[in-house]
Amino acid sequence: MRKTAAALRTRKPAAADPASGTPHVALAERTLDPDDWERFRELSHRALDDMIDHLSTIEERPVWQPAPAATRARFERPLPHRGRDLAHVLADFASHIKPYATGNTHPLFMGWVHGAGTPVGMLAEMLAAGLNANCGGRNHIGLDVERQLTAWFAEVFGFPRYASGVFVTGTSMANFLGLLIARNEALGQAVRTEGLAAAPAQLTAYTSAQAHGCIAQALELAGIGSRHLRLVPVDAAGAMRLDRLEAAIAKDRRKGHLPFLVVGTAGTVNTGAMDDLEGIADIAEAHKIWFHVDGAFGALAALSKRLRPLVAGIERAQSIAFDLHKWAHVPYDAGFLLVRDAEAHRRTFANRAAYLQRAPRGLGAGEVWPCDLGPDLSRGFRALKAWFTLETLGADRIAASIERCCRVARHLEQRLRKLPMFEVVAPVALNIVCFRVRGAGDEVQEAVVMDLQERGVAAPSLTVLGGRTVIRTAIVNHRTTTRHADRFVEHLMASTLAHLQCGSVVAR
Ligand SMILES: Cc1ncc(COP(=O)(O)O)c(C=O)c1O
């Protein structure tokens, strides 16, 4: 390879080869591979070592820090027509990208619902990139790996062995695809060609008032309109009220509407509340409505024997959307849609264009391809990092880390309840603790959170409950222990006291 490249070298070499630092040969003659594989190997090994060092010492650095203006400005440069030496680009990554990431690998990151990733997931992601498999279809092992994952998830959730499943970006997308299948089943295949003109009546859907915003968005994207989503009130625990669900369906039926979908939530985004999935399944069955579960993070409580009762009834859903990148810590992104009726799944999306014809043998063989199960034709090998994660860690270890998150959340709740300065404002059903600085306005809650984030000591987030801004800590990270929760409380008290005593003066 090096010899060939040397032989091809023409005229005066200009800039260096990005990967090897060796001089350019005529571009038209070159592949995009490094000229010097040995140097590429050396640099790659060093980059991997650096990343392993970074992860194994993650606690020594700030949880998050904003990128300085000069760093941000580096990403406003014009398109590079000539490549640079890989060593220089790696140095840029180390100085200008790595320090300014989201921070969700750090145990004191408690904002939003972010998974932390794992070193083994990182390794798998690199191997997948090496194979560069297109998992949209065709006859290759990547599809078997994805089918293996589908069978495992079917087992976890008590679905039939031959349930259907597909990796997607995240639960927002999985919920959208679940809704499209429900729409297809309600209106028949005609909806694929005729659109909503095929509907004999107005479609209506149901979910809780605490459901994630992507459900309403899915109705908008599907052309049904979010106005036709009934946001059913929740009880004191944050779960959808079944009496109100029944009433909403009955009212729509009386108006001649066509109720077609009810979405139960396993772990609401704001507080981690669990809907009564058993109760929703009964209602959905009685009314012949598609029952979909948004289990973005909470569905994986099913891995734990202790927590599994919280998601009882999930096995009766028609479809489940959940993320591997949240509580299973598969590196972003890895959302999944599991569908009980494999044929219903396929008939919503399958498309027999001539260039996607199946062959009796060869690379074009095999049924069903993932491109039959969603709109993506080109797809990466997400299944590989999920397979590595489950094969190396095992489902029980992931379940134990999920249980620990819930214990840490309860520990944090207990600590906060003992401090008169704070009030816990929602029941802690799972792993999310929502609280406020007692007696203070919304601006103090916001200032305390921004302060903790900017000091790099912890990263909680904010949400709104009952019209008031609250501080939200979602314990999702497998690295977070009660020791970190205690450290969080110390920083929280320092920031809060500084705000209460000095108005907007920040504790540093
Ligand atoms: C309950 C729930 N549904 C849906 C989503 C969206 O998932 P994603 O960000 O993977 O699209 C989230 C994200 O936190 C969530 O908590």
Side-chain angles (χ1 to χ4, degrees):
M1 179 71 195
R2 278 167 72 186
K3 255 191 194 150
T4 318
L8 287 170
R9 215 168 280 147
T10 54
R11 290 180 292 264
K12 251 194 161 1
D17 164 67
S20 67
T22 55
H24 273 304
V25 293
L27 290 183
E29 307 292 340
R30 300 177 65 201
T31 71
L32 301 182
D33 284 332
D35 288 339
D36 183 343
W37 282 95
E38 281 314 308
R39 184 161 187 271
F40 178 79
R41 184 193 304 276
E42 198 186 302
L43 289 171
S44 305
H45 283 215
R46 210 184 302 153
L48 180 60
D49 278 345
D50 286 351
M51 209 60 203
I52 292 171
D53 287 346
H54 175 82
L55 287 178
S56 61
T57 58
I58 194 71
E59 274 198 61
E60 293 169 16
R61 285 179 292 283
V63 180
W64 173 81
Q65 55 189 341
T71 301
R72 292 216 140 108
R74 296 183 69 89
F75 300 99
E76 292 169 8
R77 292 175 174 177
L79 175 72
H81 283 277
R82 306 206 82 123
R84 288 190 291 145
D85 190 310
L86 175 62
H88 294 159
V89 180
L90 284 170
D92 276 2
F93 171 76
S95 306
H96 305 301
I97 296 178
K98 195 167 58 161
Y100 307 112
T102 330
N104 48 318
T105 50
H106 195 290
L108 274 128
F109 185 98
M110 300 163 171
W112 302 274
V113 179
H114 278 36
T118 63
V120 76
M122 170 183 79
L123 182 66
E125 188 79 309
M126 189 191 75
L127 299 177
L131 290 178
N132 195 28
N134 181 347
C135 290
R138 286 152 290 273
N139 183 12
H140 63 96
I141 200 70
L143 272 54
D144 296 68
V145 178
E146 189 154 343
R147 273 184 219 116
Q148 167 72 96
L149 268 296
T150 303
W152 285 345
F153 298 141
E155 183 183 330
V156 167
F157 294 116
F159 266 39
R161 168 72 179 80
Y162 292 104
S164 175
V166 68
F167 273 95
V168 290
T169 42
T171 292
S172 302
M173 183 58 79
N175 282 331
F176 176 48
L177 300 193
L179 179 146
L180 292 178
I181 303 169
R183 187 189 66 167
N184 213 62
E185 289 306 287
L187 301 183
Q189 285 299 89
V191 72
R192 291 192 57 174
T193 47
E194 304 307 313
L196 290 177
Q202 176 61 56
L203 292 173
T204 52
Y206 308 82
T207 195
S208 105
Q210 282 294 316
H212 195 274
C214 65
I215 307 295
Q217 189 192 49
L219 272 109
E220 291 168 7
L221 296 176
I224 297 167
S226 48
R227 195 156 68 79
H228 304 292
L229 175 66
R230 313 297 181 224
L231 294 177
V232 179
V234 296
D235 62 18
M240 179 154 61
R241 280 185 50 183
L242 300 185
D243 56 334
R244 301 292 291 269
L245 172 63
E246 285 266 28
I249 295 171
K251 188 173 169 193
D252 282 329
R253 285 241 193 264
R254 277 197 304 276
K255 285 184 174 168
H257 296 335
L258 181 54
F260 80 108
L261 169 71
V262 55
V263 180
T265 307
T268 59
V269 63
N270 273 333
T271 67
M274 287 284 185
D275 279 346
D276 173 357
L277 302 180
E278 223 36 289
I280 297 173
D282 288 342
I283 294 172
E285 272 171 27
H287 291 273
K288 298 194 171 29
I289 300 177
W290 187 276
F291 173 31
H292 173 84
V293 172
D294 173 356
F297 61 100
L300 284 184
L303 288 174
S304 149
K305 280 202 183 69
R306 213 171 54 72
L307 299 174
R308 192 175 168 99
L310 292 174
V311 294
I314 200 166
E315 68 285 354
R316 294 172 62 192
Q318 303 299 325
S319 50
I320 308 173
F322 61 100
D323 281 324
L324 278 306
H325 56 226
K326 291 190 164 84
W327 247 350
H329 303 288
V330 171
Y332 284 90
D333 47 35
F336 201 85
L337 176 68
L338 186 69
V339 183
R340 171 182 304 281
D341 179 346
E343 188 45 34
H345 191 179
R346 199 196 59 79
R347 65 176 166 251
T348 303
F349 300 104
N351 182 352
R352 282 301 146 89
Y355 44 84
L356 294 175
Q357 266 175 28
R358 307 301 141 91
R361 54 199 172 77
L363 199 45
E367 289 284 355
V368 170
W369 291 359
C371 64
D372 298 327
L373 304 176
D376 290 326
L377 181 52
S378 292
R379 312 167 64 243
F381 198 176
R382 292 190 184 102
L384 189 69
K385 57 194 174 182
W387 181 80
F388 260 86
T389 302
L390 281 160
E391 285 283 356
T392 58
L393 300 175
D396 292 352
R397 190 161 162 195
I398 296 170
S401 103
I402 290 173
E403 288 178 9
R404 188 172 58 246
C405 287
C406 297
R407 275 202 307 278
V408 172
R410 274 197 306 280
H411 174 81
L412 178 58
E413 178 197 9
Q414 281 158 14
R415 292 273 335 251
L416 292 170
R417 284 195 190 280
K418 286 187 186 139
L419 295 167
M421 192 187 312
F422 304 108
E423 53 172 334
V424 175
V425 295
V428 179
L430 211 58
N431 63 326
I432 298 180
V433 187
C434 289
F435 62 95
R436 277 176 64 90
V437 178
R438 196 186 292 274
D442 288 352
E443 68 291 349
V444 171
Q445 324 296 331
E446 286 162 13
V448 166
V449 164
M450 290 186 283
D451 180 23
L452 290 168
Q453 292 173 354
E454 286 183 346
R455 287 167 58 208
V457 293
S461 61
L462 292 159
T463 191
V464 175
L465 286 180
R468 296 191 307 169
T469 298
V470 307
I471 302 174
R472 172 170 167 276
T473 52
I475 313 296
V476 185
N477 195 320
H478 61 90
R479 301 187 176 109
T480 307
T481 63
T482 50
R483 180 172 60 83
H484 297 107
D486 290 341
R487 218 187 313 152
F488 169 70
V489 171
E490 280 161 32
H491 290 302
L492 173 71
M493 285 171 61
S495 278
T496 305
L497 284 173
H499 278 285
L500 294 180
Q501 284 162 6
C502 318
S504 62
V505 177
V506 169
R508 295 207 183 265

